[in-house]
Amino acid sequence: MTRTVARNKKRMVLLSLLGLIAVLVLAFLVWSQMTYTPTSRAEENLITGEDVLVLTDDHTYFMPQTNTYDTGLIFYPGAKIEAGAYAYIGQSLAKQDYMVVLVNMPLHLAFFNPAAAASIIENHGQVKNWAVGGHSLGGAMAANYIANHPGQIKGLAMLASYPAGTNDLSSINLAAVSIYGTNDCVAEPEKIFDTKHLLPPQTLYIEIEGGNHSQFGDYGLQYRDCPPAISIEKQHQIITDSLIALLDRMNSGH
């Protein structure tokens, strides 16, 4: 009888633990689906136009209609932010004859697929010069990809982001830019500066006076972020100009 009682207690404990795990998994899945969605303005940039072809499949692709591109940017979105919120980047860079891929991450979290760039690169052999980059968590995972694929990537774009301490890129030869906003209350400038030793010494740092975290995309004001002191149009212009300059440097070999 005592053994039977002990077995029943163990079974109850095990069932309780399994139930708790199931509840936690379900709660995480629900949380991950509470995403930041593109604004109507961002969605307009997801439409094919005279200069830019937009294709949405596993990811969202922006390609110059001229079809003469050989340089591209693979972009990882921030945590819980839908890729379409960065469509302004795709439109602006494709109009300058660069390909852009906005990556759709599992559960909208880049740490579930930091190696997403690998299959994109494999499937687009016409692109010879690749940069990877991202916003917030996406930028950290882009840095992780480069750390694990040294020599494959020629450029890195960090938008309100910084690498993890285990991803030291300081000895890797690549063009790099780190763009940050002074009103960012999610990835504060201090965090950017504290990790400068992890990025290549030739990294260009671009400060956006009055820029906040949310306006690196186009999805509204993010939780915990501070209000901007600059228009979203101006912040986007600084970002796209900086990214085009990065790809130009890669193209020229500098």
Side-chain angles (χ1 to χ4, degrees):
M1 179 68 71
T2 303
R3 290 181 179 177
T4 300
V5 170
R7 282 198 298 269
N8 287 338
K9 285 184 176 179
K10 289 181 179 179
R11 187 177 297 111
M12 289 299 295
V13 170
L14 179 59
L15 290 174
S16 297
L17 287 174
L18 291 175
L20 177 60
I21 291 171
V23 169
L24 292 174
V25 169
L26 179 61
F28 174 78
L29 291 174
V30 170
W31 172 82
S32 70
Q33 294 307 307
M34 298 169 63
T35 59
Y36 293 99
T37 59
T39 66
S40 58
R41 174 179 48 210
E43 290 179 341
E44 290 176 2
N45 282 319
L46 291 168
I47 300 172
T48 291
E50 181 179 346
D51 300 317
V52 179
L53 173 65
V54 182
L55 297 176
T56 300
D57 191 0
D58 46 348
H59 308 297
T60 303
Y61 302 83
F62 297 78
M63 292 165 286
Q65 292 278 24
T66 58
N67 228 17
T68 58
Y69 53 91
D70 63 2
T71 300
L73 169 67
I74 299 169
F75 192 87
Y76 291 3
K80 296 178 63 181
I81 303 170
E82 296 184 12
Y86 305 94
Y88 76 95
I89 293 176
Q91 283 284 346
S92 296
L93 272 60
K95 288 177 181 176
Q96 298 298 316
D97 292 331
Y98 294 121
M99 178 181 182
V100 176
V101 184
L102 301 181
V103 179
N104 292 317
M105 287 294 180
L107 299 179
H108 304 288
L109 294 166
F111 58 66
F112 282 127
N113 191 15
S119 60
I120 295 171
I121 293 170
E122 181 179 356
N123 293 331
H124 294 86
Q126 77 275 23
V127 179
K128 306 303 180 184
N129 305 309
W130 282 108
V132 295
H135 175 217
S136 198
L137 175 64
M141 293 301 98
N144 174 270
Y145 183 83
I146 290 179
N148 289 304
H149 299 82
Q152 184 189 60
I153 303 298
K154 294 186 178 181
L156 170 65
M158 303 289 279
L159 277 59
S161 184
Y162 47 90
T166 53
N167 297 143
D168 187 349
L169 310 183
S170 59
S171 61
I172 298 180
N173 182 28
L174 76 162
V177 64
S178 177
I179 313 170
Y180 63 95
T182 60
N183 283 34
D184 192 330
C185 292
V186 179
E188 296 92 343
E190 292 76 14
K191 295 178 180 178
I192 307 291
F193 301 146
D194 287 346
T195 55
K196 288 181 73 171
H197 64 284
L198 296 173
L199 291 179
Q202 67 272 21
T203 300
L204 294 179
Y205 287 84
I206 308 296
E207 178 184 272
I208 302 179
E209 182 66 37
N212 71 348
H213 198 77
S214 307
Q215 289 189 165
F216 279 90
D218 194 356
Y219 53 87
L221 185 65
Q222 187 169 337
Y223 175 66
R224 287 182 51 239
D225 198 12
C226 292
I230 185 176
S231 71
I232 192 169
E233 292 82 7
K234 181 62 175 177
Q235 184 162 343
H236 284 182
Q237 188 65 57
I238 294 171
I239 292 165
T240 54
D241 286 349
S242 300
L243 294 176
I244 290 168
L246 172 72
L247 299 181
D248 286 346
R249 292 202 308 275
M250 287 167 45
N251 251 354
S252 64
H254 297 297

